[in-house]
Amino acid sequence: MHALASVRPALGVALALAACLSGCEVDANYDPPVTRHTQPLAARCTAQVTGVGEVDIETVYLPAVIACENGAAADEALKAQAVAARTYLYFKLETSGAIGDGTGDQVFTCNRPPQARHLAAVEATAGEVLMHDGIVLAAFYVAGAIPQPPVCRPQAGDRDPTGTEQWVTYNEGLRGGAVNPSPLGHPANPRNRGCKSQNGAHCLATAGRGYRDILAVYYGADLVFERAQGACVSPPDPPDAGPPADQGPPPVDAAEPPPEDCDAVLTGDTPLVVDDGSACFERACETGDWWTAHAVGEGGGCLTTGTIDRDTPDCWGRWRFEVATPGEYAVDVHLPDPGLPLSAAARYTVRHGGRVDEVRLDQAARGGWVSLGRFDFTAGEVGEIALLDNSGEPYREGGPRLVYDAIRVRAAAAVIDDLGPAPDAGRPDAGVGGDAGAPADQGPPAPDAGRPQAQIDAAPPGRDGGPAGTRRLVQTGGCRTSGGPAAPLGVFALLVGGLIRRRRAAPRPARRPAPR
């Protein structure tokens, strides 16, 4: 069961967008709440499609939408489209309970049936939804101009046959308030964090960019790829994910106590912080010492190691503590910037209440304290948060690293208070989705018209963040040791990760042996 908070906007409709083209209808009485999800997002298995009926989302709806909207794109661009289409669908179901079939929302029925590559793009991003600050986005996409690699941004002379480039945003490397919203929506609406170019996405894919990178170019670096949880969503096979969450693998036996000199106890009275320099943090590698120390982070330092694509981890680090007071707790990890590329698919496991849950996190997308979610802990157990190196991203020189710093555990009720009320919301005036994309056998995708989908007006977004301060209950000696657009336009957004292999660099500092 996922908890959520919602609020009715006090401002009502701020304006009907000038960008609202012929297919856009504005209803001044339509004023849905913005919902902030404070627990893992529940998977939606079916969707009510107007004029069609109830349709299975992952196996029927999404593959058809991809084929109709942008079916000839390169594979990574198809994955980006899958995430965007799913995100917009979740937004529509959350606010309206149904979605239209056609250029008013997304095209589900057309004369281009889905092919195997469209099904594969959905499977590779199973359940992934784009969020920010706990809010499902109304992610915009349009056909855009037709740029050339490797830059893949329109230059003088590049064609814009649908006239939709004006809605595209370029937000690569931007975070927070620096992210440019699209003119398709009210700039203050928290659901509006930019607009993707379908032609640009195809260009980026042909230039070797992955779908997460592609989405980050248009929507910014601080978005969260949330995998919805439910029976109808199965984690994709490698290289996109590891074993199911309830299978671990946990690095140690649940019954093993923390080290004798570990004094971390979770009482719920104050936040518990465990740093990588604490006796309550352990780490090991099976094949050598692959850790690098950095002088940044909580307690003065942090550790990094490379990523691999194996079924089982080679290197792992874990933060452990005793649970004195049972209840629901929020678990956060601290992500400093060691000046290196970081993993987009960090694989965390959380041992709590007699089970082990897996959480995937894009360490490159956010910094500072970042939430892993909320978990129920049982009195008397040993709680554990572990970070495993088998993220599925390949090891290579200069490739992604995993950063190990501090973890924080806080009573969930206190965290909700910290977050404050959910942001005042805007609403979608009218969605549009365009019949974008050429047939799969016609070469490069030149998405047909876009349209302003899910136009949104808004009141100001809510503020980010958790509490200003926390108190440590364990020592924080810092870093230990460890190696290195009825008119043209369309809509949408992002999510998830991959799995792979690495070559090893020369060993570095000493390590603590893995417990047996």
Side-chain angles (χ1 to χ4, degrees), residues 210-230:
Y211 75 95
R212 283 189 173 187
D213 284 346
I214 292 170
L215 292 167
V217 166
Y218 302 106
Y219 301 108
D222 59 350
L223 300 180
V224 174
F225 289 94
E226 176 84 5
R227 189 184 301 282
Q229 299 182 10

Side-chain angles (χ1 to χ4, degrees), residues 281-495:
F281 174 77
E282 299 172 289
R283 61 185 174 84
C285 295
E286 297 293 333
T287 63
D289 189 356
W290 309 113
W291 302 93
T292 298
H294 306 268
V296 294
E298 293 289 295
C302 69
L303 302 169
T304 65
T305 192
T307 59
I308 61 171
D309 67 348
R310 294 188 347 183
D311 290 337
T312 58
D314 178 25
C315 298
W316 51 262
R318 66 176 185 237
W319 299 259
R320 311 183 75 207
F321 50 89
E322 294 183 358
V323 179
T325 305
E328 183 185 39
Y329 290 86
V331 175
D332 309 313
V333 294
H334 191 260
L335 302 178
D337 182 5
L340 298 170
L342 296 180
S343 169
R347 185 181 175 207
Y348 290 87
T349 60
V350 181
R351 186 183 297 281
H352 68 106
R355 59 178 291 173
V356 176
D357 286 340
E358 181 177 310
V359 180
R360 291 280 180 159
L361 182 67
D362 186 346
Q363 290 192 338
R366 301 182 66 179
W369 288 107
V370 180
S371 173
L372 291 184
R374 288 159 175 76
F375 306 88
D376 291 319
F377 288 90
T378 303
E381 70 173 334
V382 175
E384 174 185 295
I385 290 83
L387 176 55
L388 316 178
D389 69 347
N390 60 330
S391 69
E393 298 158 301
Y395 176 81
R396 65 182 190 275
E397 295 296 334
R401 310 281 293 177
L402 293 159
V403 63
Y404 298 71
D405 190 14
I407 62 103
R408 179 175 66 186
V409 188
R410 302 174 290 165
V415 175
I416 293 173
D417 290 338
D418 290 334
L419 288 173
D424 289 339
R427 48 135 185 89
D429 288 315
V432 206
D435 189 3
D441 59 353
Q442 294 184 6
D448 297 338
R451 63 281 170 185
Q453 184 160 345
Q455 311 284 354
I456 48 178
D457 301 325
R463 60 188 174 92
D464 294 334
T470 58
R471 180 170 70 84
R472 295 183 180 279
L473 300 182
V474 298
Q475 65 182 44
T476 55
C479 235
R480 278 299 230 232
T481 58
S482 220
L489 260 102
V491 198
F492 276 60
L494 7 60
L495 272 149

